[in-house]
Amino acid sequence: MTKKIGIISDTHGLLRDEFVEELKKVDMIIHAGDLDNEKIIEEINKLCSKVVIVRGNCDKGKLKEKLPFSDVIEFEGKYIYVIHDVSTMDIDPEAAGIDIVVFGHSHKAYEVEKGSVLYLNPGGAGPRRFSLPISMAILTFENDKYTVQFKYL
């Protein structure tokens, strides 16, 4: 059976309609920080019953208090570590048995395997930054394997 996680980051107060449509089709949503607005949490929670959100460096006040710095979740037998800025990671993912590290911060879509760990940045889903494309990612799990597909606007 196929299961999907919609992964977004760096919305900075803007949850785009095109990404909302993609997020309606997934089994879980991960937001890797920099929401900049509590309404983004409400909007995401309307789209999916399973939501994981961590805070980013731009999430201040109530968002900083409410959201965790990082989180570890299990999905389809795989362990996923979620953090906003990968350079602030306080664990060794491979030693900790993590399969996937999801992060944001750079606004640049990125997917690379280091050892046994997949590092995945969905890119920036909010306002355009510099000349970087606006993007999100879909992580699809099927038969104990996973694939990444980036969605660009």
Side-chain angles (χ1 to χ4, degrees):
M1 187 168 164
T2 302
K3 297 274 188 170
K4 295 183 178 191
I5 300 177
I7 304 173
I8 59 174
S9 186
D10 299 282
T11 50
H12 293 284
L14 175 61
L15 188 58
R16 295 172 179 278
D17 292 340
E18 298 91 340
F19 291 154
V20 166
E21 291 307 310
E22 292 294 332
L23 295 172
K24 286 179 179 177
K25 304 173 192 173
V26 301
D27 301 288
M28 175 183 273
I29 296 172
I30 294 175
H31 192 303
D34 275 0
L35 293 85
D36 277 348
N37 189 322
E38 285 187 74
K39 289 183 181 177
I40 299 292
I41 297 172
E42 296 169 23
E43 292 178 44
I44 291 171
N45 280 321
K46 290 177 187 174
L47 302 175
C48 188
S49 61
K50 293 181 183 177
V51 175
V52 174
I53 303 173
V54 298
R55 71 175 178 257
N57 59 297
C58 292
D59 295 323
K60 310 291 184 197
K62 289 182 181 178
L63 283 173
K64 186 174 182 176
E65 294 170 18
K66 183 185 288 190
L67 298 173
F69 172 76
S70 63
D71 205 350
V72 176
I73 56 170
E74 184 271 332
F75 188 85
E76 294 296 297
K78 301 296 182 189
Y79 288 94
I80 304 170
Y81 181 84
V82 184
I83 191 163
H84 180 64
D85 182 350
V86 74
S87 72
T88 63
M89 193 164 44
D90 56 0
I91 67 166
D92 174 345
E94 197 161 16
I98 300 295
D99 300 292
I100 303 165
V101 173
V102 170
F103 63 100
H105 189 58
S106 70
H107 293 237
K108 189 174 183 181
Y110 177 85
E111 170 194 10
V112 70
E113 289 202 29
K114 295 181 184 176
S116 63
V117 180
L118 171 67
Y119 288 78
L120 173 59
N121 185 330
R128 185 175 304 280
R129 183 175 183 206
F130 310 117
S131 60
L132 296 171
I134 296 162
S135 63
M136 66 167 288
I138 302 291
L139 186 58
T140 302
F141 293 77
E142 188 170 20
N143 300 327
D144 199 39
K145 294 185 189 229
Y146 46 85
T147 57
V148 177
Q149 179 184 17
F150 292 102
K151 303 282 185 170
Y152 293 97
L153 295 184

